[in-house]
Amino acid sequence: ALAIGFLARWRRAGGRIAPDLLTDPRRWPLRLAPWVAVGWGLVAFNTTVEMPSCSDRDALGVTTLLEDGAAFDLASNGRTLLAVHREERRLTLLDLRTGVRVDIPVAGGEPEEVLALPGTEDYLVTVVLEETEPYGSEASLIRVGPAGAKTLAGPPLCAVASMVWDPVDGSVLLGCELEPTVRRMQPSTNWISGAVLNGSTQGLEDLVLADGRLFSVPLLNGVAVQVLDAASLALLQTRRIGGFVYEAEVDLPRRRLVLSRFVDSAIVALHLDTLETVARGRTAFGVRPIEVFADRGRIAAASMMHTGPWLLDAQTLRGRRMDLGGLSKGLAQDPDGHTLY
């Protein structure tokens, strides 16, 4: 309503609504001025009015576990839950059986991504180091568990944005956000390798393993889904889809690779073998985390800019939005396959 009112007032004052770009290029800034003003006005409204008003709400079947601080990411092994508070530089380890929580401060940077390490009680957390140029170009790893937190020694890491556990050798593959670099971390010894030769040609915002293949998607540095051989990391397949893909998940029963398209406001499903688009579901601008409940035929998604989450049918990608309040950067699935955090 504010945007329409502004444009109407601009028109009554003698301005043009539709920008005429066939005129003198020197007049383009004036022609585009109302649209630029409206765009920035809507961004300001979203960040100063809409987003702060998204309070949490109670709903049937929903239990509140933590209420302090904004969680950037979270993961669960079924016994505990680890929440990452990036801005506060803090981790919260919650025992899901007793409700006992332990707050763990993080020094030297901002914690971001978290992965539950199978076969252990521990989690692996990335920390973006603050004393780097440019900021965010290097990271370290912290191993967190009931015994405490420990920064892992090893060679300097790039900006690690993705971690995936490899069941073949029990290692964790680490992918860099801004470059095609892969490393391996061995949980049994906490050893971190140097850069591993691989066929990727773009940033690795997220990684997922399926059928002996490693699927990678880019955020800013790249525009394609790339498929690597899980053993050799040789490039097998590429499908151009555009950038700003935040997360990827596999839906094996339906043979699909499910992607969250941040700018496109959509969840997209590609055939796992051909990478052809087979389904698309609209959510909201800023859609980021997704979780596939394959056995239940459901997909959960959430947005950084809108209240949620969305619960979608895995086949059609249609469903409903649960207005629980808040703005979600992270979702996590309990190993029981029935619980969403």
Side-chain angles (χ1 to χ4, degrees):
L2 291 173
I4 293 174
F6 174 82
L7 292 174
R9 186 177 182 86
W10 175 274
R11 182 68 182 90
R12 288 196 299 270
R16 294 175 62 94
I17 297 300
D20 184 4
L21 300 182
L22 298 180
T23 59
D24 187 342
R26 290 174 296 181
R27 298 182 60 82
W28 287 1
L30 181 63
R31 300 297 191 204
L32 295 171
W35 295 100
V36 173
V38 167
W40 279 112
L42 292 176
V43 169
F45 179 82
N46 179 262
T47 56
T48 62
V49 179
E50 183 180 11
M51 291 173 62
S53 68
C54 298
S55 58
D56 291 330
R57 300 172 182 171
D58 295 328
L60 184 64
V62 176
T63 302
T64 300
L65 299 177
L66 298 170
E67 291 188 282
D68 59 324
F72 182 86
D73 198 11
L74 65 164
S76 175
N77 57 22
R79 295 169 296 279
T80 59
L81 174 77
L82 187 72
V84 176
H85 305 282
R86 184 175 70 172
E87 288 78 8
E88 300 176 19
R89 300 191 178 189
R90 172 172 59 87
L91 308 174
T92 298
L93 184 64
L94 177 69
D95 190 311
L96 296 172
R97 297 162 294 186
T98 65
V100 175
R101 58 178 286 174
V102 177
D103 290 322
I104 304 166
V106 176
E110 297 180 331
E112 288 197 350
E113 312 297 332
V114 57
L115 173 72
L117 294 174
T120 76
E121 296 287 331
D122 295 348
Y123 298 86
L124 199 60
V125 179
T126 66
V127 178
V128 176
L129 301 180
E130 58 186 352
E131 296 182 359
T132 58
E133 185 61 40
Y135 177 78
S137 60
E138 292 186 13
S140 63
L141 293 178
I142 296 179
R143 184 163 180 166
V144 182
K150 176 184 178 181
T151 299
L152 303 186
L157 299 175
C158 58
V160 177
S162 52
M163 300 184 288
V164 61
W165 183 68
D166 187 348
V168 174
D169 63 359
S171 68
V172 176
L173 288 167
L174 311 172
C176 299
E177 178 182 347
L178 303 176
E179 58 188 77
T181 300
V182 177
R183 298 178 186 268
R184 283 189 184 270
M185 179 267 181
Q186 183 53 252
S188 61
T189 60
N190 287 337
W191 173 76
I192 303 173
S193 76
V196 179
L197 184 66
N198 73 92
S200 178
T201 60
Q202 59 186 16
L204 308 168
E205 175 63 23
D206 202 13
L207 298 171
V208 61
L209 280 165
D211 293 347
R213 293 172 293 167
L214 180 67
F215 297 82
S216 74
V217 294
L219 182 62
L220 299 174
N221 187 14
V223 293
V225 173
Q226 292 193 325
V227 186
L228 309 179
D229 180 81
S232 66
L233 297 185
L235 182 63
L236 302 176
Q237 198 174 1
T238 296
R239 160 78 193 285
R240 186 183 178 92
I241 60 168
F244 278 94
V245 179
Y246 253 109
E247 290 198 11
E249 293 286 344
V250 168
D251 182 359
L252 279 178
R254 279 154 285 277
R255 302 294 300 168
R256 291 179 172 186
L257 180 69
V258 184
L259 311 176
S260 62
R261 300 300 308 272
F262 186 91
V263 176
D264 287 354
S265 311
I267 302 298
V268 177
L270 310 181
H271 192 280
L272 203 57
D273 300 315
T274 65
L275 298 185
E276 293 299 318
T277 302
V278 294
R280 181 184 180 90
R282 183 168 180 80
T283 50
F285 181 78
V287 61
R288 179 170 178 166
I290 50 177
E291 286 290 337
V292 175
F293 291 79
D295 294 340
R296 298 174 64 88
R298 293 288 182 269
I299 294 175
S303 166
M304 294 171 55
M305 304 294 183
H306 295 266
T307 60
W310 282 260
L311 299 179
L312 311 175
D313 179 86
Q315 183 66 34
T316 64
L317 299 188
R318 300 289 188 269
R320 65 188 180 94
R321 179 173 69 93
M322 294 182 63
D323 188 3
L324 299 183
L327 305 165
S328 301
K329 287 186 177 179
L331 297 175
Q333 181 178 168
D334 192 280
D336 67 7
H338 299 280
T339 306
L340 175 70
Y341 300 107

